[in-house]
Amino acid sequence: MANQGPAYYSPYPTATYEGVITPPEGKALLLEDIVDEETAMRECARVMLTSENATIFPGPQVLYGWNEEAKKKAILIKEMAEVLNSKMIPMYDYRPKYPKIDAEVEINPNHPNLTIWHNNIKAAIFIGVHCHYANVALKIVRSETDCYTIAICGLSGHEDAMATLRDQHSSELEKFIKIAKEVKAELGK
């Protein structure tokens, strides 16, 4: 009885079943390839700057000023959105919103595909989302939409994102913004 169990409920296999793993320290993941962090940052910026309705989904780890690092990241994420010409949709409350969420206002990790479909989002950054919720949301988005997902993670990253940058803190966000400005200039945007 092959192909039984939770991993096969999705119409598409999860990334780990496809052999994709999170990158080692100092590296990043682009689709299935382990690359240098700067290479991934450049590609992430390019995708966000050239995709329809690019959106950043900030989570509670950056939306609430629970420590100085969170406050600094929140300011940097706002600057990142401006540089990338992207919208922001908060992912501030993980509780399921049944029977229906307001897909124009927020994203729900239990139904992120609804928000992405409703807003026709073709590229998205998940940042400041607790890993266990990001994993659920990214698996759904990967199997149910054509959205290019980018995980900017403070820990080890997420294999179900199309691109993942791991160990990202304020200094790395500052580096990403600098690179995004360079890519934006190169693209003439």
Side-chain angles (χ1 to χ4, degrees):
M1 295 202 155
N3 297 346
Q4 290 189 358
Y8 294 96
Y9 291 158
S10 172
Y12 302 101
T14 61
T16 52
Y17 277 79
E18 295 290 312
V20 180
I21 57 170
T22 56
E25 288 184 35
K27 297 291 184 178
L29 181 67
L30 279 180
L31 301 174
E32 299 174 358
D33 299 321
I34 304 295
V35 299
D36 290 327
E37 183 179 78
E38 187 170 328
T39 300
M41 287 181 174
R42 293 188 73 72
E43 180 62 10
C44 291
R46 186 196 66 74
V47 168
M48 290 294 286
L49 286 162
T50 59
S51 296
E52 188 177 351
N53 296 320
T55 302
I56 297 173
F57 294 108
Q61 292 180 319
V62 294
L63 289 173
Y64 301 118
W66 60 281
N67 67 19
E68 291 307 312
E69 176 72 3
K71 292 175 187 177
K72 189 169 184 182
K73 278 184 174 181
I75 291 166
L76 291 168
I77 291 166
K78 185 173 184 206
E79 182 181 355
M80 182 191 305
E82 291 168 5
V83 170
L84 296 173
N85 303 322
S86 65
K87 300 183 293 184
M88 280 200 283
I89 298 178
M91 203 168 169
Y92 59 88
D93 185 358
Y94 298 142
R95 292 173 292 179
K97 280 80 172 176
Y98 293 111
K100 179 179 181 269
I101 66 165
D102 186 348
E104 292 181 12
V105 177
E106 65 181 317
I107 187 168
N108 180 325
N110 301 288
H111 303 288
N113 52 321
L114 299 180
T115 301
I116 287 169
W117 289 335
H118 183 81
N119 291 283
N120 195 30
I121 296 168
K122 300 300 181 188
I125 293 175
F126 287 75
I127 184 167
V129 179
H130 291 91
C131 288
H132 51 293
Y133 286 105
N135 284 339
V136 170
L138 288 165
K139 281 174 180 39
I140 295 168
V141 172
R142 180 185 179 97
S143 69
E144 299 292 331
T145 76
D146 62 352
C147 180
Y148 188 98
T149 53
I150 300 163
I152 297 181
C153 182
L155 297 172
S156 61
H158 302 278
E159 67 278 350
D160 278 299
M162 307 310 178
T164 190
L165 298 165
R166 63 169 290 162
D167 303 311
Q168 299 295 294
H169 305 290
S170 296
S171 59
E172 288 82 12
L173 293 183
E174 289 169 348
K175 179 181 175 183
F176 180 79
I177 291 167
K178 179 180 174 282
I179 288 170
K181 287 177 180 177
E182 292 170 7
V183 172
K184 187 175 186 176
E186 290 167 9
L187 293 171
K189 293 203 171 246

